[in-house]
Structures are given as C-alpha cells and as structure tokens.
Amino acid sequence: MATCIWLRSCGARRLGSTFPGCRLRPRAGGLVPASGPAPGPAQLRCYAGGLAGLSAALLRTDSFVGGRWLPAAATFPVQDPASGAALGMVADCGVREARAAVRAAYEAFCRWREVSAKERSSLLRKWYNLMIQNKDDLARIITAESGKPLKEAHGEILYSAFFLEWFSEEARRVYGDIIYTPAKDRRALVLKQPVGVAAVITPWNFPSAMITRKVGAALAAGCTVVVKPAEDTPFSALALAELASQAGIPSGVYNVIPCSRKNAKEVGEAICTDPLVSKISFTGSTTTGKILLHHAANSVKRVSMELGGLAPFIVFDSANVDQAVAGAMASKFRNTGQTCVCSNQFLVQRGIHDAFVKAFAEAMKKNLRVGNGFEEGTTQGPLINEKAVEKVEKQVNDAVSKGATVVTGGKRHQLGKNFFEPTLLCNVTQDMLCTHEETFGPLAPVIKFDTEEEAIAIANAADVGLAGYFYSQDPAQIWRVAEQLEVGMVGVNEGLISSVECPFGGVKQSGLGREGSKYGIDEYLELKYVCYGGL
C-alpha cells in the first residue's frame, strides 16, 4: 500500500504497484508473489513490477503537448511481452489530440527557429547529460516494455544518448555558401533553414534510439517535432519527454502523442496530412511507409523513410570461419533477431559451408540463453507479441515442408507464448518464405552457393536493400562485392555496423534519406538561394 501511495503522490498514474525484482508466478485471476521452491524451467519469472522501482518522474502515462502533461479521454494497456502482465495504462490519443500537438509544435517552431545554434546545441547537450545520469532507469523501461535483454537495453540507451550528443555538436556546423556569379555586381548566397514541424513515427524495437536519431537532428536544425511512438513501447518516448523538459527544451518543441493500435492509423494520417507539418520521418515496415508516402504526396512534404530489409550475410570460401560465425551471431541474434539490419538469409559458399554450419550451431548452443530480459545472462528475450512468434513459426514450417533441415531449435520455447527457440536451418532454397520475407525473429536460414556471381544475384533479387554483410579475405573480391551489393550499408568482415557518426539508410524499397552522421541534419534543412544585386 505504501508503494501505491508513493507512486500516486509522485504523479506516476495508472502504473502497476508490484515491487521491483519481485519474482511472481501466474495463477487464475492474476499474478502473486512466488512461494516455495523456485519455478521449473517451463515456468516464467515475471518482472512486470520492474517499473515500480524507477524514478516516478520518468514513468509518465499522459501525452506531452506544448510542455504540459495532458490526459486523453481513453487509455490503453501496455504489456510486458515476457509475461503478458500489464505495465500500465497510457493516454490513448486520437485525431483531436494529434492536431493539437501539431499546432503546439508549429507555434513553438516560430520561436525555436530563431534560437541561436549555440543555444540549441547547449540544450541538446543538457538532454544528453540527463540521459546518461538516468541511463539505468531508462534501460529498465526498455526491457519492461519491449522484452529486450537488460544488457542490450543499456547499450541502446548509450546509443540513443550519443545521437543527442552528436547533433548537439552538428547544430553549430550548419554552413551555407557564397557563389561568385559571372555578373560583377551580384553575389549569390545559399542559406540552410529548418523545414518546419516534423512528424516522427517510430517503431517498438528501438523505442529510445529511433526517437533521438530523428529528434536530435530535427531540433539541431531548428525544427520542432510531434512524436507518435509505437503502441507497444510508449513509456520510453514519454520518459524522454520528461528529461527534455528537465533539460529546458522549450514548450512545444518536443511533443509526444501515444495511441493504441486501434487509433494508430487515424492518428498517423492526421499528423502526416496536416498542412502545418512540413516533414515526415518514419521507421517501420515498407507497407506502412508506402501509405505514409501517399499522405505526404498530397501536400508534397519532405520525407525520410527507414523501411524493411532482407539483409544477406555472405560467407565466401576465403573467409575466416571463426570471424564469420562471430559476425553472424552479432548480426542475427541482437534483440532476438528483431532489428531492421538483422541478417535474414545466410549465403555460404560450398567449400566452407559445412564448417560454417557446424561452428554456427555450436556457437548458438553455447552462447544463446532464452529468458526474461531482466534475468542475468539472458541473451534472447521474448518476441514483441504472439503474432511475431507465429510469423517465425510459419517460416520454419514452410521451410521444413519444402526440404529444409532443422540443425537446432525450430519451435516455440517452453517459457511462454512469446518465446521462440533460436533456430538454424540448412538445405534452404530460394522458394522458401524465409528467403524473401523479412523474419524479425531468431531464425537463421542457410543457402549453399557455388560462385560469387550466384551469391550477388541472390542477394540483389530482393526489392529492398537496407544492409548487407559478407566475409572474405580476398581484397579484390571485397571491392567487387561491396560495390555490387544493392544495399545502403555494407559490413565487410563485420556484423555490427550502426554508429552515430555514420549514415544509416537503404536503397530500393528500404527507404529514402539518411539518419545519423553529418548527413542526418540535412534531412531537416531547406536550401534557399539569395541573389544579392546592385553591388
């Protein structure tokens, strides 16, 4: 009871009141503290109460618009994907709230654009510092709402904070040009100016980093934002809003409107078609991205799209097997395979195929541990929901029915409905679903190939092109393959490629524009040519 009163008094409304770290066990009608012997391997430990031990100031459940925390007429539940337990009830914003957020952002933009680059830089740096100070609590929020292992959640928070740090520095490096024309009495100037209000729509798999990668660039450029976070993971976006407020980010510059899956379509349409919005930045599926592009087309808005991928991971005969396996583990099983740059199909040359598959299977069995993200040693948490599990299961069953062999894994994990065993398939062919449909789960299908040309053809057959990886010790081959792969990012003898300093984005139907790096801020700037005559 004392905990419940303390949470309410600190403003953390509609949150569960279980104690942090308390092991719970399911029973009819709810969850109760576990008693007696420890649960067996098939009984899931529930850490849904992990939110209750955090700073109450970070546990926000209302929308954040115009610098104020505002409730909505309705709420929706956010669940722990590991146990299914409710984490809390969050404001379910609709079209009215979305339009109000856009108006607040537009009014703030008229002031924020006039703030000096130095001051914008300083405020972003303060926001970064607050993220670092609160990194442990922010990481626990990510694990609670997404299921991501806590160690990876800590990594995401640092990655997320580094975008604010990076763009705090880039804010002061927005340079124009002076062009000398043929006319002696004229000078031509090129100015860079903020585009205006940006609608930012983010996914659940990186609920913090996907926000700061966009918002950091937008605010540095002088834009304001309306963020619609994924319905599965709104707490991270709202915690960032609290820290932005503490950092002194002016009212209306950063706005957050959470909503349920039921309202997501109409809210997304409302902010993307609003005439006061000048820019749309979206990370998510290619299908949804195409819908948003239609919305943007009606009023010719600027867009950034980071969409789906089908990343090939190619292992040539000259590759170092141990290095290739280490890269495959890092690329495939980060966040339980739920990243847009995860390797989706493994193309392994005939001469090295058997050695690679054997070593890969051994590494999976030795290093991967399925469990609740809060449990020490867990490397593979739950998938985000049962629909995601069904997709992996469907791909495995389809492949096996067409002749693939399960080397390890292959079925749902005994821990619960959202868990799936890390799975390795061999004897995979190109007519199987797993080779042309993004998995977003812990499934590694291996295709055997003979020639470099064959591997390139298979990799480039996809209509998407976000990331690609390959392992080779042949310098000439490395140049050839790196240039020929039709993707926006290539990892050569490396399975982890993301860095705040480097441009992130794809080609073909994997999106438009780049995020991060010195190029990321350009997505939020317009060029203006000024002809100065009469000199």
Side-chain angles (χ1 to χ4, degrees):
M1 178 62 72
T3 300
C4 297
I5 295 172
W6 174 72
L7 282 170
R8 290 195 197 103
S9 68
C10 292
R13 296 181 294 278
R14 297 192 292 271
L15 290 168
S17 59
T18 50
F19 289 91
C22 175
R23 195 175 77 242
L24 305 176
R25 60 180 173 82
R27 75 169 185 191
L31 294 162
V32 296
S35 59
Q43 189 172 3
L44 180 65
R45 287 179 175 144
C46 173
Y47 291 80
L51 286 179
L54 305 181
S55 167
L58 294 180
L59 298 177
R60 295 292 186 168
T61 58
D62 291 332
S63 65
F64 186 69
V65 175
R68 296 186 299 160
W69 295 101
L70 301 175
T75 60
F76 69 98
V78 179
Q79 296 178 325
D80 169 13
S83 67
L87 297 173
M89 303 296 291
V90 175
D92 192 2
C93 295
V95 171
R96 182 175 63 84
E97 290 87 357
R99 289 175 177 161
V102 170
R103 286 195 301 274
Y106 182 76
E107 291 170 3
F109 170 67
C110 297
R111 301 183 298 272
W112 180 247
R113 66 182 301 173
E114 301 301 327
V115 172
S116 70
K118 185 177 187 300
E119 187 173 350
R120 293 199 300 267
S121 172
S122 176
L123 290 170
L124 284 168
R125 183 73 188 204
K126 289 178 181 177
W127 197 3
Y128 158 77
N129 288 336
L130 286 169
M131 285 196 69
I132 297 300
Q133 292 171 24
N134 291 274
K135 64 181 185 298
D136 291 340
D137 283 354
L138 293 172
R140 289 177 63 190
I141 290 173
I142 287 177
T143 296
E145 64 183 352
S146 76
K148 182 176 296 188
L150 189 58
K151 183 177 180 180
E152 287 193 26
H154 276 109
E156 180 182 343
I157 289 303
L158 292 178
Y159 182 53
S160 176
F162 290 158
F163 279 113
L164 296 183
E165 179 189 42
W166 173 263
F167 284 114
S168 74
E169 297 163 351
E170 289 298 293
R172 302 178 69 176
R173 301 190 184 114
V174 176
Y175 304 125
D177 292 293
I178 296 177
I179 302 169
Y180 286 89
T181 68
K184 294 182 179 180
D185 63 343
R186 298 178 189 171
R187 294 293 182 270
L189 293 79
V190 177
L191 309 179
K192 292 184 179 180
Q193 297 181 313
V195 298
V197 176
V200 173
I201 302 176
T202 57
W204 50 263
N205 58 336
F206 287 90
S208 182
M210 294 302 95
I211 292 175
T212 58
R213 191 164 74 184
K214 301 171 186 295
V215 171
L219 270 58
C223 298
T224 57
V225 298
V226 176
V227 177
K228 192 204 82 62
E231 57 272 13
D232 295 299
T233 55
F235 285 118
S236 291
L238 296 169
L240 287 175
E242 172 60 32
L243 295 181
S245 180
Q246 291 181 22
I249 302 294
S251 299
V253 172
Y254 177 78
N255 306 275
V256 183
I257 47 169
C259 71
S260 64
R261 184 170 282 105
K262 181 186 70 172
N263 286 348
K265 181 178 179 180
E266 63 180 22
V267 168
E269 182 175 353
I271 60 175
C272 290
T273 58
D274 195 302
L276 298 181
V277 170
S278 300
K279 162 82 179 183
I280 300 170
S281 181
F282 170 72
T283 294
S285 71
T286 298
T287 300
T288 302
K290 290 178 179 179
I291 294 171
L292 299 183
L293 281 169
H294 279 291
H295 293 330
N298 289 331
S299 51
V300 196
K301 299 184 191 301
R302 288 277 295 275
V303 295
S304 297
M305 296 278 160
E306 193 261 283
L307 309 177
L310 201 70
F313 189 104
I314 307 171
V315 184
F316 291 103
D317 281 343
S318 66
N320 178 300
V321 172
D322 291 338
Q323 288 183 358
V325 168
M329 292 287 290
S331 172
K332 176 70 255 185
F333 295 108
R334 185 164 60 110
N335 198 20
T336 319
Q338 300 174 110
T339 85
C340 53
V341 293
C342 274
S343 299
N344 206 80
Q345 53 181 335
F346 292 79
L347 312 177
V348 185
Q349 200 159 14
R350 186 176 297 275
I352 203 172
H353 174 274
D354 292 352
F356 174 82
V357 170
K358 180 181 178 182
F360 196 9
E362 291 173 351
M364 290 172 61
K365 293 173 182 176
K366 178 181 178 181
N367 298 309
L368 300 182
R369 179 179 180 274
V370 179
N372 189 296
F374 283 110
E375 290 186 331
E376 187 175 353
T378 292
T379 66
Q380 303 293 285
L383 299 190
I384 191 64
N385 51 43
E386 192 169 13
K387 184 178 179 181
V389 174
E390 290 170 354
K391 184 177 184 181
V392 179
E393 190 172 50
K394 179 182 177 182
Q395 288 190 2
V396 171
N397 292 340
D398 170 79
V400 171
S401 71
K402 295 175 180 175
T405 301
V406 177
V407 180
T408 185
K411 62 184 183 300
R412 296 189 185 215
H413 197 280
Q414 60 183 345
L415 276 179
K417 66 178 183 178
N418 289 346
F419 291 85
F420 200 90
E421 295 178 347
T423 299
L424 177 61
L425 302 178
C426 66
N427 299 320
V428 174
T429 54
Q430 294 177 61
D431 62 334
M432 298 175 184
L433 277 178
C434 58
T435 66
H436 55 82
E437 180 181 89
E438 189 174 25
T439 302
F440 243 63
L443 169 60
V446 179
I447 300 174
K448 187 185 298 184
F449 72 90
D450 290 302
T451 67
E452 177 184 313
E453 294 74 17
E454 181 186 359
I456 295 295
I458 295 172
N460 289 345
D463 58 6
V464 293
L466 188 57
Y469 310 85
F470 70 92
Y471 278 70
S472 171
Q473 298 299 316
D474 181 341
Q477 183 178 60
I478 287 173
W479 279 112
R480 287 195 307 271
V481 176
E483 292 180 348
Q484 291 176 29
L485 281 177
E486 295 173 357
V487 295
M489 300 171 287
V490 180
V492 182
N493 297 326
E494 179 57 61
L496 295 176
I497 59 176
S498 298
S499 173
V500 298
E501 297 84 2
C502 301
F504 192 102
V507 300
K508 299 196 282 192
Q509 293 188 37
S510 281
L512 301 165
R514 293 296 182 269
E515 295 183 335
S517 79
K518 68 176 184 179
Y519 305 104
I521 199 169
D522 291 337
E523 300 290 333
Y524 298 89
L525 294 167
E526 295 277 21
L527 295 180
K528 178 182 285 185
Y529 157 50
V530 178
C531 182
Y532 189 177
L535 300 177

